[in-house]
Amino acid sequence: MQPPFRIGLGYDIHALVAGRPCILGGVKIDSPVGPEGHSDADVILHAVADAILGASGLPDIGQLFPNTDPALKNMNSARIVERAVQEAAAKGWAIGNLDIVVLAEKPKMAPHVPAIRKNLSALLRVTGDQIGVKATTQEGMDAVGEGRAIACHAVVLLIKA
Ligand code: MG
């Protein structure tokens, strides 16, 4: 017998480069640097999607959305999360809660946390109190700490719908 809940973990990291749009958690942020990648490179939404897919026992986003597919160039990563939610729902799972930690030296995340939380709750069709968004720096250490990359950890609990 399987328990009526599942936990999932997601992680993603992207390089930060000058001149790229900076879209994090689906929120457009005014920044001279943005995450580099094949899609819009939204590191938060990628980590969230992988947490949902992992909890559902489904393949990760690299398999569902190959970064070699020209049709996915610069794609809106909200589509990736919507697909993950749909696939989880098809297996009978609903979002219980989501908690994320964004690791970034820049852009400064704190001013954007409320908007990201609101956007994630809309995307996952849950209330704001089911979403936790935290941001921290790497205290100047490693690629994130040197402002050359941005990373995100996500954990999600799915409940039997
Ligand atoms: Mg990614």
Side-chain angles (χ1 to χ4, degrees):
M1 189 190 120
Q2 292 204 25
F5 41 78
R6 290 280 192 92
I7 195 164
L9 173 69
Y11 171 77
D12 196 25
I13 185 166
H14 282 259
L16 283 174
V17 295
R20 275 279 297 186
C22 188
I23 302 166
L24 296 169
V27 174
K28 178 100 173 67
I29 291 171
D30 190 23
S31 165
V33 293
E36 184 174 47
H38 183 69
S39 66
D40 65 9
D42 190 325
V43 70
I44 294 178
L45 295 190
H46 292 181
V48 168
D50 259 347
I52 295 168
L53 292 168
S56 307
L58 292 162
D60 68 19
I61 63 170
Q63 291 182 56
L64 288 181
F65 297 92
N67 65 7
T68 48
D69 184 344
L72 304 180
K73 184 105 181 106
N74 295 322
M75 86 174 288
N76 179 349
S77 293
R79 303 290 87 80
I80 297 176
V81 173
E82 283 167 354
R83 168 88 183 272
V85 171
Q86 281 166 11
E87 299 268 352
K91 296 187 87 175
W93 299 108
I95 307 292
N97 75 300
L98 167 78
D99 197 16
I100 69 168
V101 182
V102 185
L103 308 177
E105 204 69 35
K106 59 184 183 181
K108 288 295 172 207
M109 295 303 299
H112 308 291
V113 164
I116 291 170
R117 194 162 171 241
K118 190 175 170 197
N119 195 56
L120 287 172
S121 73
L123 207 49
L124 301 183
R125 296 191 189 86
V126 296
T127 60
D129 70 354
Q130 288 168 282
I131 307 284
V133 176
K134 289 165 270 83
T136 187
T137 69
Q138 289 286 82
E139 301 285 340
M141 296 175 284
D142 77 24
V144 170
E146 289 166 8
R148 294 187 285 111
I150 183 165
C152 183
H153 296 276
V155 63
V156 70
L157 185 76
L158 301 183
I159 50 177
K160 207 71 189 175

